[in-house]
Amino acid sequence: MHELSVCQALIDQVARVAREQRAARVSAIHVSVGPLSGVEPQLLEQAYPLAAAGSLAEEAELCIESAPIRVYCDQCDQESTATASRLVCAECGNWRTTLVSGDELLLTHVELFREQVHV
């Protein structure tokens, strides 16, 4: 299950952000996962607690958003939604398209908690 190594890399990235921002802990991690990314969201959720154990993100909620599959068509100059098994232009039906989104795994944002310093 490569989702565990994906989660570990994600936690490393989140920890780096938390340290840079001097956060006491991470309260939520938001990611966008495309259906063509090679990452299974359910397996990512299952691997997350193991990867986050002992880190600033141990108690953080993992929020996974599904990214749509979108293609660009050179023939009609349109961008449209497609499916994993049919990457054709929804406007003109051309099969010579360029994938615009749907293969990504992106850390979209991190919610951090900073302790209040009272002077």
Side-chain angles (χ1 to χ4, degrees):
M1 169 167 82
H2 82 284
E3 280 76 3
L4 180 57
S5 61
V6 168
C7 271
Q8 289 169 330
L10 179 64
I11 294 300
D12 289 346
Q13 187 176 10
V14 167
R16 192 169 39 256
V17 169
R19 280 191 305 274
E20 288 171 2
Q21 297 300 316
R22 296 186 176 101
R25 64 181 167 85
V26 178
S27 52
I29 299 169
H30 297 262
V31 295
S32 178
V33 180
L36 302 175
S37 68
V39 174
E40 291 293 328
Q42 289 176 326
L43 294 178
L44 195 65
E45 285 178 16
Q46 291 173 358
Y48 175 74
L50 183 59
S55 74
L56 289 174
E58 186 169 23
E59 300 296 321
E61 177 184 7
L62 178 63
C63 305
I64 301 174
E65 180 180 308
S66 181
I69 298 173
R70 299 202 46 86
V71 294
Y72 172 76
C73 178
D74 285 326
Q75 184 171 321
C76 71
D77 198 35
Q78 295 294 312
E79 188 177 304
S80 60
T81 302
T83 64
S85 60
R86 192 161 162 80
L87 299 173
V88 299
C89 177
E91 300 296 321
C92 71
N94 184 24
W95 59 271
R96 293 186 196 116
T97 58
T98 303
L99 187 65
V100 174
S101 72
D103 63 344
E104 67 270 21
L105 170 61
L106 298 173
L107 173 60
T108 57
H109 67 281
V110 180
E111 294 177 30
L112 303 172
F113 177 80
R114 289 190 190 156
E115 298 211 9
Q116 297 290 335
V117 177
H118 299 285
V119 180

